[in-house]
Amino acid sequence: MFSSNITLPTWVTLSRLIAVPIIFGLFLWQDSELSRLIALSVFIIAAITDWLDGYLARKLNQITELGKFLDPLVDKVLTIALFLLFIELGQVPAWAVFLIITRELLITAWRGAPSASSQETSGEVGKPQIIGANFWGKAKTVMQIVAIAALLVKIPYAIAFFWIAVALTLISGILYVVPASKD
């Protein structure tokens, strides 16, 4: 399905995965103000690479199916891992993180499922059409990043950002699956 040539933007995308063990390691070492600030710095660098890989792909004309597949997948691994960490730290309820994870998995499956329209346009039966995020999906991602950053450093009312992220996650999932009527 994907070419074996991995482009620079794809390497940037994959580099984002390094943030997960670093952040977890910081909390295994010690949950302190310093470790949380370092974790925040690592997370911000990872968030910047999310913008950088897209920028490089467009600038270098290296937009690939592999990159379009990996970018949202790596984002989900990073955010889900950190939300699970916040459950462990007692900062967020597990049921709310379950809703986030469920939405992310369902939309990922929905995006990658072969559709009749993609078969008709591409001529390839069974080949999934990778669909990009809409406005609500991007707003959800931004709010999840804000919520994670706020929870990492325990700013006042960080939980409010989390609940906004949960709401946008659910709204974006519903709007993705149930398209707007075309009147």
Side-chain angles (χ1 to χ4, degrees), residues 82-94:
L82 291 174
F83 283 134
L84 292 173
L85 174 65
F86 297 134
I87 291 171
E88 180 71 20
L89 297 170
Q91 289 183 254
V92 299

Side-chain angles (χ1 to χ4, degrees), residues 16-25 42 74 77-79 81-82:
R16 202 158 42 252
L17 289 173
I18 296 169
V20 175
I22 291 172
I23 292 171
F24 274 60
V42 170
V74 168
V77 169
L78 178 61
T79 57
L82 291 174

